[in-house]
Amino acid sequence: MSDDSPDMQTGRRSFMKTVGAFGAAASVGSAATGTVAAQSGDSYRETLQAELTASDRQSRQLPEGTFAYGDSEADAIDAFSLQGDGSTTEFEVDSDRVSFTQAERVDVTAADEDDPGAVAYRGPVPDADFSEGDLLLGVAWVRSEDHDAQARAAFRYGDGEDFVDRGADVDPTGEWMRYFFPIEIGSVPDGDADPVLELHLGYDEQVVEFGGVALLDYSDTDVGLSTLPPYDYAGRAEDAEWREAAHERIEEIRKTDFEVEVRNPGGQPMEDANVSVSMLDHAFDFGSAVSVEHVVGDSDDDETYRQTFLEHFNKAVVENALKYPAWEGEWDIRKEDTRATLDWLNEHDIPTRGHYLLWEQDQTDGGGGMHVDPDLPADEKREVIAEKIANHAAEFEGDIAEWDMHNHPVWQSNYRDDEDLGWDAIDEWWSVADENTDVGLHTNEMGAIGGQWQRSAYSDYIAHLVENDYPIDAIGFMGHHQQRWGQLLDIEDMIAGYDEFAQYDLPMIVTEFDIEIFDRRNAQDVAVQRDYLRDFLTVAFSRELVESVMSWGFWEDDHWRPTGAYYDSDWTLREHGEEFLELIYDEWWTDELGRTDGDGVYATRGFKGDYEITAEKGNLSGETTVTIDDDTDTVVVELVPPGKQKDDKGGNGNGKGKDKGGNPWSQEGDGFPDGSDEELFNETEGELFNETDGSFWNESETGFGN
C-alpha cells in the first residue's frame, strides 16, 4: 500500500471546484455508459419490450404492450415528419451504447418562443381507437450538440388537450439519452383528427437528433399510470412547501455566530485587520463505506480511490471486512489488510464505524450473519454468540468509533423468533457488547427511511429497547433507494419517518445511503437521481437529531449497485455526485473574508465544524485552527512579525479545506490607519513595534522595514 502524503489530502475546496468544473462537462458523457445491446437477431423493439417486461424491474415491471407506428423502427421513423421551418435527414446509428439503428436529424431554422409547437417533430397515429383512460408510453432517444437545445413532448388530437402526464421536458446533451413520455388519454374529441405524438422544437434555431422512437399501447392491460416510466416523487419541485422550512432549520441548527478577535504582538486589538475564515471540515459526518481492497491496493485506481475518499468524506465504515465471515477467514479478506485499512483511516483521523456485532442469522445468505453452526443447541449458540460479540468488540477497541450493535433487527429476527433464545438472548448480547466496549452502540435497519415498509416495526423495536433501558446510543437507518421497488419517497413521507423516530430523543444516522436507478442512459432517471439526492440530504441535514449520512460507496467499480455510485468507472463525476459535492462543499460550506472593527473584532456566522482562521495587517500575520460549535464565542488570532508564526495549528489532521497556497488578501491598499505612535518593546526578541505603520526595528539590524 502506498503512503498518501499530507499534500494529497489538502485543498478539499479547491479540489471540489476542479471536479465541479470538470464534472459539469464530463458527466454529459458519463450518463450514457451503460450498454443494453440487443441479442443476436433481436430488433430494437424486441430489446425495448424485453427490458420493460423484465421481472427484475420488480414493482415497475410492465406487461407487454402493442407498438404503434407499423412493424419496425424504420416504420416509426417514416411516420414522423417535421412541421414548421427546418429540414430532416435520416442516418444510420452504429453504437453499442444504444440498440436502435436508425435516426433522424432535425435542423430547426426558425424559432418562435411564443409558440414553440409551431416547429415540431410529429408522428400521427392514423386509425387509432383510443378511449378515455387508456395508457400509452412514448419513447425517444435524443441527442444534440447545441448547448441550449430544448424540446417538449406532447400527445394530443389536433390542437386539443395534451395527455402527456409527466416528464415532457427534454434537455438534449451530446450523448444519446432516452426519454419516456407516459400518456393517459383524456376526453377524445369528435371528428377525424388523428392523435399525434410530437416534440416541440421551436424554442430556438437548433439541431436535434431523434432515434428509437416508439409508442407502446397498454390499453388492453391492467397497468397503472404510476408504473409507467419516468418515475417521480412528490416534493421535488423547486418551490415545494417543505423546502423553505428545511433551509430555515439548517440555518438555525447547523450554523452558529462567532467572532474573530485580532490582536497585535503587544496583545492589543487590531483595527481594520484582514480576516479569512476558511472551513476545513463539517461537524456533521458525511462519510462513506470503504473497501479494504482499494485502501491497501497499489494500482492507479487504488491511489485515486484513497485520494477521492479523503477529499470527499470525513467518516468511514469498512464495508465487509469486519463482518464475522470475513474476519474469521470464510471470505477472502486477509486480517492484515483489514488491520492496515483501520490503521490508514486512523492515521488520517477518520472515525470509523464498525459493521457489525450482532446479526440474527447463522450463515451468510443475507450478506453477513454470525458465522455459527446452525445445528448448535440453543444454549450453546447463545454462549458462542456472546463470546463472539465480546471478542469482536475487544479486538477493535481503540480502532472503532461506534458499532452497529444490532444489524437488521426487523428484517431478520431469527433468534428472537426462536423460543429457546428470544429476547432474553438479545438482552444478554447487548449487555455483553456494552461491557466490552466504550464506544456507542447503534441499531441498523432498512425500510424505514429508504422506503417505509418496515418503519412501524422498526419503531416498535426501538421502543422496546428504550422502554427496557438497553444501552442504545443511536438509531441507524439504511438509506438504500431502488427505483425498481418504488423507494423514492415523497418528501412529506420522508419527513414523517424522521418525526416518528424523533420521539425517542436519540441521535439518528443514515448508515448506508445510495440511489439505484434503472439505467444511466435514461435521462429522466439520471435527473431524478440528482434531485432526490439533493432532497434526501437536505431533509437529513435539516433534522436536529440526525448526525451523519454515510454513502455506501462512491465508485462504480466498487459499488454493490453500480448505477448509484458518484463516479463512473473512469472516475468521471456523475450528475448526482456533482450535486453531492456542491451541497456539502459549496451551499453548506463557509469561506468568509472580512475586516476587524474598531475593537479588533470581525463577527460572522458559519457552519459548525473545523476552521483555519488567518488574519493580517501590514507585514503582521497570524493563524489558528479551531473547532466552531455552539460553545464558541470568540476566536483569538495573535499577529506576529514575518518568520515568527506560532505553531498552534490543531484541527482534525485531515488537511481538508481550501488550498493553503497564495494569499487571499492583496497587500496593495491595505495600509494601517492613523493612530498612536506608541512603540511596544519585545524584550525577548529585542524588537520595537510601531503600531502606526506596522514596522519593526531590531537592535541587530539598521532601520525600520515592513
Side-chain angles (χ1 to χ4, degrees):
M1 176 178 66
S2 64
D3 185 15
D4 297 324
S5 69
D7 289 343
M8 288 181 60
Q9 306 153 40
T10 61
R12 178 186 275 192
R13 283 288 289 121
S14 295
F15 180 83
M16 159 55 196
K17 292 177 181 177
T18 301
V19 297
F22 174 74
S27 62
V28 168
S30 71
T33 57
T35 299
V36 182
Q39 296 179 0
S40 177
D42 282 353
S43 70
Y44 163 65
R45 290 187 173 190
E46 290 170 334
T47 303
L48 175 61
Q49 189 75 278
E51 180 182 351
L52 295 176
T53 60
S55 61
D56 64 3
R57 290 178 63 86
Q58 302 294 346
S59 65
R60 303 304 191 186
Q61 182 181 10
L62 293 174
E64 287 194 5
T66 303
F67 282 96
Y69 300 132
D71 299 323
S72 67
E73 61 169 305
D75 288 342
I77 289 288
D78 290 342
F80 277 76
S81 61
L82 181 65
Q83 170 187 288
D85 294 329
S87 61
T88 61
T89 306
E90 291 189 29
F91 62 96
E92 299 290 323
V93 177
D94 183 12
S95 172
D96 62 0
R97 292 185 174 183
V98 298
S99 54
F100 61 91
T101 61
Q102 300 179 55
E104 194 158 22
R105 182 176 296 111
V106 180
D107 188 349
V108 179
T109 57
D112 186 347
E113 293 183 0
D114 294 329
D115 183 17
V119 182
Y121 188 58
R122 307 177 74 247
V125 187
D127 303 321
D129 187 21
F130 300 134
S131 301
E132 185 172 350
D134 285 350
L135 299 181
L136 301 92
L137 180 65
V139 184
W141 291 79
V142 189
R143 182 176 71 175
S144 178
E145 296 294 342
D146 293 338
H147 179 69
D148 295 323
Q150 184 178 359
R152 182 176 176 83
F155 189 87
R156 67 182 75 208
Y157 289 83
D159 295 327
E161 180 185 358
D162 178 11
F163 299 141
V164 173
D165 178 76
R166 60 186 181 275
D169 290 324
V170 176
D171 297 305
T173 70
E175 297 286 346
W176 283 114
M177 297 291 287
R178 181 167 55 186
Y179 289 82
F180 292 105
F181 312 114
I183 298 161
E184 182 175 22
I185 302 296
S187 178
V188 178
D190 295 330
D192 298 328
D194 291 327
V196 176
L197 175 62
E198 56 187 12
L199 290 118
H200 298 170
L201 296 168
Y203 298 94
D204 201 351
E205 296 180 10
Q206 57 184 345
V207 177
V208 182
E209 297 172 352
F210 297 95
V213 181
L215 182 64
L216 283 155
D217 180 6
Y218 294 102
S219 301
D220 295 329
T221 73
D222 60 357
V223 67
L225 182 62
S226 63
T227 309
L228 298 179
Y231 306 108
D232 213 337
Y233 59 93
R236 182 183 178 187
E238 292 284 352
D239 60 352
E241 292 185 6
W242 69 271
R243 201 176 299 281
E244 182 178 357
H247 289 316
E248 290 175 354
R249 288 196 303 272
I250 288 172
E251 180 70 24
E252 178 183 356
I253 67 177
R254 301 300 177 191
K255 298 178 75 174
T256 190
D257 296 318
F258 62 97
E259 296 180 343
V260 178
E261 181 182 343
V262 180
R263 299 176 183 173
N264 67 23
Q268 301 302 308
M270 289 289 281
E271 180 182 1
D272 206 32
N274 299 321
V275 178
S276 172
V277 175
S278 298
M279 195 169 182
L280 300 175
D281 198 7
H282 273 284
F284 192 93
D285 292 327
F286 293 102
S288 176
V290 296
S291 166
V292 165
E293 172 189 359
H294 299 298
V295 173
V296 303
D298 57 7
S299 71
D300 289 344
D301 279 332
D302 296 331
E303 190 75 12
T304 302
Y305 183 95
R306 291 190 291 272
Q307 182 176 356
T308 302
F309 172 82
L310 291 175
E311 292 285 357
H312 294 354
F313 305 104
N314 60 5
K315 192 173 185 177
V317 55
V318 181
E319 186 172 1
N320 288 311
L322 295 184
K323 296 178 178 181
Y324 292 103
W327 184 249
E328 295 172 0
E330 180 71 14
W331 296 346
D332 189 20
I333 302 176
R334 301 190 311 164
K335 283 187 176 183
E336 51 265 42
D337 289 342
T338 301
R339 277 289 176 200
T341 297
L342 293 173
D343 290 344
W344 181 81
L345 291 167
N346 285 321
E347 286 167 8
H348 291 85
D349 289 330
I350 302 290
T352 303
R353 285 178 54 77
H355 181 63
Y356 47 84
L357 290 177
L358 174 63
W359 186 340
E360 293 184 53
Q361 180 174 319
D362 293 335
Q363 292 299 308
T364 65
D365 294 344
M370 300 305 296
H371 196 223
V372 297
D373 182 353
D375 296 326
L376 285 176
D379 56 347
E380 188 175 346
K381 183 180 293 186
R382 178 169 174 168
E383 183 178 345
V384 167
I385 291 175
E387 184 177 357
K388 277 176 173 280
I389 292 171
N391 291 341
H392 217 49
E395 175 74 30
F396 298 105
E397 190 73 0
D399 295 320
I400 298 298
E402 61 201 36
W403 277 107
D404 284 331
M405 165 52 202
H406 201 167
N407 196 53
H408 283 308
V410 176
W411 181 49
Q412 292 185 320
S413 56
N414 298 323
Y415 297 151
R416 276 169 294 153
D417 294 339
D418 185 332
E419 62 181 14
D420 294 323
L421 292 171
W423 272 104
D424 286 344
I426 302 299
D427 183 70
E428 176 187 350
W429 295 332
W430 271 87
S431 296
V432 167
D434 192 37
E435 292 166 2
N436 284 275
T437 182
D438 292 327
V439 304
L441 299 177
H442 304 171
T443 60
N444 191 34
E445 188 53 279
M446 62 183 177
I449 298 298
Q452 59 173 328
W453 72 96
Q454 295 190 127
R455 180 179 294 172
S456 178
Y458 192 33
S459 181
D460 290 344
Y461 164 79
I462 298 297
H464 179 89
L465 299 189
V466 171
E467 291 167 3
N468 289 277
D469 296 324
Y470 278 65
I472 177 176
D473 295 298
I475 304 170
F477 305 104
M478 297 180 190
H480 299 302
H481 303 81
Q482 295 174 278
Q483 274 191 324
R484 68 189 61 206
W485 285 110
Q487 292 170 345
L488 302 189
L489 295 178
D490 293 341
I491 300 303
E492 292 299 336
D493 190 16
M494 186 191 306
I495 292 171
Y498 285 115
D499 287 342
E500 167 70 24
F501 290 89
Q503 65 179 302
Y504 304 113
D505 198 28
L506 287 168
M508 303 181 199
I509 52 177
V510 179
T511 59
E512 305 177 18
F513 174 58
D514 51 39
I515 308 168
E516 182 187 42
I517 60 177
F518 279 112
D519 196 329
R520 297 208 61 78
R521 303 169 312 152
N522 292 344
Q524 293 142 318
D525 289 353
V526 170
V528 79
Q529 181 185 47
R530 177 197 62 218
D531 289 353
Y532 192 74
L533 177 138
R534 173 200 65 199
D535 294 344
F536 183 89
L537 290 184
T538 298
V539 171
F541 199 52
S542 73
R543 309 296 299 188
E544 187 168 12
L545 289 174
V546 179
E547 297 183 348
S548 174
V549 173
M550 303 289 293
S551 297
W552 201 246
F554 52 92
W555 182 39
E556 181 183 14
D557 283 10
D558 190 56
H559 203 289
W560 76 317
R561 291 173 177 164
T563 63
Y566 299 142
Y567 281 91
D568 278 339
S569 178
D570 64 358
W571 294 103
T572 300
L573 185 64
R574 291 171 168 173
E575 288 83 346
H576 70 302
E578 183 178 354
E579 186 72 29
F580 177 85
L581 296 182
E582 287 181 352
L583 279 175
I584 299 171
Y585 303 119
D586 190 354
E587 183 174 336
W588 299 336
W589 196 257
T590 301
D591 276 329
E592 300 287 347
L593 299 173
R595 293 177 184 268
T596 56
D597 60 17
D599 296 322
V601 172
Y602 170 63
T604 189
R605 181 173 178 83
F607 286 96
K608 299 170 189 177
D610 295 334
Y611 283 79
E612 180 183 72
I613 300 178
T614 63
E616 63 175 35
K617 184 172 183 180
N619 66 351
L620 301 177
S621 63
E623 64 181 61
T624 188
T625 304
V626 64
T627 297
I628 301 294
D629 55 29
D630 286 331
D631 295 328
T632 304
D633 183 19
T634 301
V635 178
V636 176
V637 179
E638 298 179 358
L639 303 188
V640 296
K644 303 187 183 301
Q645 276 75 14
K646 291 184 177 182
D647 184 16
D648 62 353
K649 292 186 178 181
N652 64 9
N654 284 336
K656 301 166 183 170
K658 65 177 288 183
D659 189 350
K660 308 304 188 298
N663 189 335
W665 294 99
S666 169
Q667 294 294 325
E668 185 176 355
D670 288 341
F672 282 67
D674 292 337
S676 170
D677 287 333
E678 178 185 359
E679 294 178 336
L680 303 173
F681 183 67
N682 184 327
E683 295 182 354
T684 303
E685 302 294 338
E687 294 179 329
L688 290 173
F689 169 63
N690 188 309
E691 288 186 329
T692 302
D693 62 7
S695 64
F696 286 83
W697 177 80
N698 189 295
E699 291 178 348
S700 63
E701 301 175 354
T702 58
F704 284 86
N706 283 321

